[in-house]
Amino acid sequence: MKCQECGQPAIIHVTEARKMAAVSERHLCEAHARQYLQDHPAGAEPVAATAAAQASSGQGAEVRMDLIRLVISEVHDQQLMILGEVSGRRCLSVVIGIFKATSLDRRLKQLPSPRPLTHDAWADTIGTLGGRVQDVLIHDLREHTYYVWVRIRQGEHVVAVDVRPSDALVLAVLLQVPVLIAGWLLEEVSGPAQ
Ligand SMILES: [Zn+2]
């Protein structure tokens, strides 16, 4: 694949997303990727604030987030997933592995797979056992690692399952459920747009 700007090999792939679906993709060389990311900082435009999002972020101290960008590099081990505040401009980036990043990218682009993948099987298992994924909550950060719960409602009970951020996001995109972060944590980690 060639860089859309100069024809050199494209080694960085940027997927822009809104509401859990890809809205555009860029395939760029390293120099043009740097330029693009500099010219289009994540969080420059607020994600459309909706009544539902406002209501959700107003509940307690949890803030609703949307997956707004995925940066996949063929030359680095670590990929970037960027989450933006639904009713504001705060962002945070989470480093994920290439396998999960690719899986997430396929989900965002709704690329079909012939047989159920791990996350499909996981979602089906929860449903088959009478559960419903309510939301995903990023609730802590320890030693540069985000801690995330997938909250599953089963009858009158809600159980929280500890999962990696990348797995939680794949599940959230797959099932189209809200992604939330503890308000204090967003306050602590949201930096300038990147
Ligand atoms: Zn280029």
Side-chain angles (χ1 to χ4, degrees), residues 3 6 29 32:
C3 172
C6 69
C29 67
H32 280 116

Side-chain angles (χ1 to χ4, degrees), residues 129-163:
L129 294 175
R132 185 177 59 80
V133 175
Q134 177 183 293
D135 53 30
V136 158
L137 174 66
I138 305 166
H139 66 91
D140 203 1
L141 174 69
R142 278 175 261 154
E143 290 169 8
H144 310 292
T145 301
Y146 283 102
Y147 284 76
V148 183
W149 284 323
V150 167
R151 294 193 290 201
I152 302 167
R153 179 167 285 283
Q154 198 179 26
E156 297 190 344
H157 304 281
V158 174
V159 291
V161 181
D162 180 30
V163 301

Side-chain angles (χ1 to χ4, degrees), residues 17-82:
R18 288 293 183 276
K19 297 180 182 172
M20 304 295 191
V23 290
S24 71
E25 53 185 317
R26 297 276 193 300
H27 306 285
L28 303 163
C29 67
E30 185 130 35
H32 280 116
R34 205 176 302 126
Q35 185 70 48
Y36 174 77
L37 294 173
Q38 194 179 325
D39 292 348
H40 303 84
E45 298 165 32
V47 181
T50 63
Q54 296 283 9
S56 165
S57 67
Q59 272 172 15
E62 293 169 1
V63 181
R64 182 132 180 208
M65 304 296 281
D66 194 11
L67 177 59
I68 58 172
R69 176 177 286 168
L70 196 60
V71 183
I72 296 179
S73 162
E74 292 177 17
V75 291
H76 299 113
D77 291 339
Q78 300 185 322
Q79 319 304 323
L80 274 188
M81 164 171 95
I82 298 168

Side-chain angles (χ1 to χ4, degrees), residues 80-179:
L80 274 188
M81 164 171 95
I82 298 168
L83 303 178
E85 187 178 14
V86 170
S87 51
R89 295 186 177 198
R90 289 178 292 178
C91 292
L92 72 131
S93 51
V94 182
V95 172
I96 62 176
I98 182 69
F99 178 74
K100 297 291 173 51
T102 308
S103 180
L104 199 48
D105 198 46
R106 292 183 63 87
R107 294 286 175 204
L108 289 171
K109 293 172 183 167
Q110 297 182 333
L111 299 176
S113 54
R115 295 285 299 137
L117 299 173
T118 309
H119 295 88
D120 301 286
W122 186 18
D124 283 348
T125 305
I126 294 168
T128 305
L129 294 175
R132 185 177 59 80
V133 175
Q134 177 183 293
D135 53 30
V136 158
L137 174 66
I138 305 166
H139 66 91
D140 203 1
L141 174 69
R142 278 175 261 154
E143 290 169 8
H144 310 292
T145 301
Y146 283 102
Y147 284 76
V148 183
W149 284 323
V150 167
R151 294 193 290 201
I152 302 167
R153 179 167 285 283
Q154 198 179 26
E156 297 190 344
H157 304 281
V158 174
V159 291
V161 181
D162 180 30
V163 301
R164 288 168 187 262
S166 52
D167 283 325
L169 263 293
V170 173
L171 201 61
V173 171
L174 176 62
L175 297 174
Q176 301 283 304
V177 298
V179 175

